[in-house]
Amino acid sequence: MRFLITAGPTREPIDPVRYLSNRSSGKMAYAIADAAIAAGHDVVLISGPVNLPAPRDTQVVAVATADEMFDAVHRHLDGRDILVMCAAVADYKPASVSPQKIKKTGSDLTLELTPTRDILASLPQDRQRLVVGFAAETNDVEINAKKKLRAKNCDLIVANDVSARDSGMESDENAVTILFRDGETKKISRAPKKIIARELVKIFCDAREKRLTKKT
Ligand code: C5P
């Protein structure tokens, strides 16, 4: 299979030295890329800034902002069988970027934020391609993930609870629930991200096969 995987956080500049970002480490996405390569698949990895070595035999496309990730996904989408949107793309960016470093004045400073373009929601429909979204939630994990599955037109969504300190973002371990469009759910209990990644790659490949053989 030909995978396209997005990884890591994005950085949304405020001025030449400051940015808005999040705690995503990229570990889950890089583990999925490693597992896919180990299983003999082809991988293009579009990565925000992370401190991880590039997986072997993988084309890595480095990006920083949500806009750059949007463009990179659209550029590399063609011919990919499975898109895994694991990146924690910023939902908002500063409405304008100051060309000079913003000076401290001692009074309150208000930043105006504007929504970024949603990459998943922007994708053209294609029966050949399986689209996987991720949902990092701190509460009502399954309810919120189910809403995202529909709103973002995903075939399946991998939900994880990022409220626990020892699981999810930045951690080497994770526990996930996979939600499918037909209402089926699968749970993978707490395990190292490498083990979870191996399971996920199998689940994605099976789901892609099923999607192709389905009549409707
Ligand atoms: O809405 P939320 O950011 O929680 O959705 C998470 C999912 O949506 C992830 O798969 C993420 O990669 C994707 N996403 C996107 N474009 C954005 C923001 C998030 O594709 N601008």
Side-chain angles (χ1 to χ4, degrees):
M1 297 275 184
R2 288 157 60 85
F3 278 72
L4 179 60
I5 302 172
T6 66
T10 63
R11 285 181 182 171
E12 308 306 323
I14 297 168
D15 68 17
V17 296
R18 304 183 179 98
Y19 55 79
L20 291 176
S21 193
N22 60 63
R23 286 172 40 206
S24 170
S25 63
K27 284 179 186 166
M28 193 68 245
Y30 275 59
I32 294 170
D34 280 335
I37 290 289
H41 303 295
D42 175 89
V43 176
V44 173
L45 181 64
I46 298 174
S47 182
V50 297
N51 282 313
L52 296 169
R56 68 180 170 91
D57 300 330
T58 301
Q59 184 191 345
V60 181
V61 181
V63 297
T65 66
D67 279 331
E68 287 170 10
M69 192 168 275
F70 184 103
D71 292 340
V73 169
H74 280 270
R75 253 197 336 269
H76 289 89
L77 196 59
D78 214 30
R80 294 282 133 190
D81 305 308
I82 301 180
L83 168 65
V84 183
M85 281 292 300
C86 199
V89 186
D91 291 322
Y92 290 91
K93 62 178 183 179
S96 62
V97 182
S98 169
Q100 284 166 345
K101 188 179 168 200
I102 298 169
K103 295 276 179 289
K104 182 165 63 180
T105 62
S107 42
D108 290 353
L109 173 74
T110 305
L111 269 184
E112 194 187 336
L113 303 180
T114 188
T116 56
R117 290 176 293 172
D118 198 293
I119 303 170
L120 276 171
S122 74
L123 298 176
Q125 297 296 309
D126 184 343
R127 257 185 75 79
Q128 303 293 316
R129 184 171 50 240
L130 183 88
V131 177
V132 180
F134 272 69
E137 306 288 345
T138 54
N139 55 287
D140 300 321
V141 178
E142 287 192 30
I143 296 170
N144 287 323
K146 214 172 263 175
K147 277 189 207 151
K148 271 178 205 174
L149 178 67
R150 301 245 155 235
K152 296 187 179 231
N153 264 325
C154 299
D155 295 293
L156 56 104
I157 205 148
V158 181
N160 59 339
D161 185 341
V162 291
S163 61
R165 254 199 305 145
D166 54 356
S167 183
M169 281 194 166
E170 292 175 317
S171 164
D172 288 326
E173 296 210 327
N174 208 357
V176 299
T177 304
I178 303 123
L179 296 98
F180 297 81
R181 279 187 89 89
D182 63 2
E184 188 195 346
T185 60
K186 273 193 182 132
K187 279 186 195 293
I188 307 179
S189 48
R190 208 180 135 177
K193 283 181 176 172
K194 284 183 195 320
I195 306 283
I196 296 207
R198 238 179 276 160
E199 281 303 305
L200 287 177
V201 166
K202 278 189 222 149
I203 290 170
F204 300 161
C205 290
D206 288 349
R208 164 79 179 12
E209 291 295 339
K210 256 195 213 154
R211 192 184 206 291
L212 281 188
T213 50
K214 227 168 55 185
K215 289 216 167 59
T216 50

